[in-house]
């Protein structure tokens, strides 16, 4: 068991795994935050229309889910970040 990087509480793996079910096969092992410090936004990923996880301390919802962000890094070798860059 490891502490949450945000609040330092011990991560309840069962609760967080249940909350993360919509994130394309990701599990609590992929995160360092507890269920109290994260929320899941369904249908928010601009690439797969899947869920994204949002640390409660963040003011905005990411555009890419962790799986799509990882896929893009593997395909292009470039990290797109969590949000789509808008051109002016």
């Amino acid at each position: 068991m490891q502490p949450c990087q945000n609040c330092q509480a011990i991560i309840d793996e069962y609760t967080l795994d249940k909350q993360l079910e919509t994130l394309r096969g990701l599990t609590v092992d992929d995160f360092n935050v507890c269920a109290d410090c994260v929320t899941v936004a369904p249908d928010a990923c601009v690439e797969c229309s899947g869920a994204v996880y949002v640390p409660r301390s963040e003011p905005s919802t990411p555009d890419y889910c962790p799986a799509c962000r990882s896929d893009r890094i593997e395909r292009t070798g470039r990290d797109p970040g969590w949000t789509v860059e808008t051109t002016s």
Side-chain angles (χ1 to χ4, degrees):
M1 294 185 124
Q2 59 183 348
C4 172
Q5 70 181 7
N6 188 45
C7 71
Q8 300 303 308
I10 297 300
I11 296 172
D12 181 337
E13 295 179 8
Y14 177 79
T15 303
L16 188 55
D17 271 340
K18 285 293 181 194
Q19 189 172 344
L20 298 174
E21 281 180 8
T22 58
L23 290 174
R24 291 195 340 173
L26 296 176
T27 67
V28 69
D29 295 329
D30 299 298
F31 298 89
N32 280 333
V33 291
C34 67
D36 292 332
C37 290
V38 70
T39 186
V40 174
D43 308 320
C45 179
V46 297
E47 198 153 304
C48 72
S49 297
V52 299
Y53 95 98
V54 186
R56 292 184 197 264
S57 61
E58 291 297 317
S60 62
T61 302
D63 294 319
Y64 294 107
C65 69
C68 285
R69 182 180 181 204
S70 177
D71 289 347
R72 281 190 146 219
I73 292 169
E74 282 184 24
R75 280 195 329 262
T76 66
R78 184 177 160 277
D79 184 353
W82 291 107
T83 55
V84 176
E85 291 180 21
T86 56
T87 54
S88 52

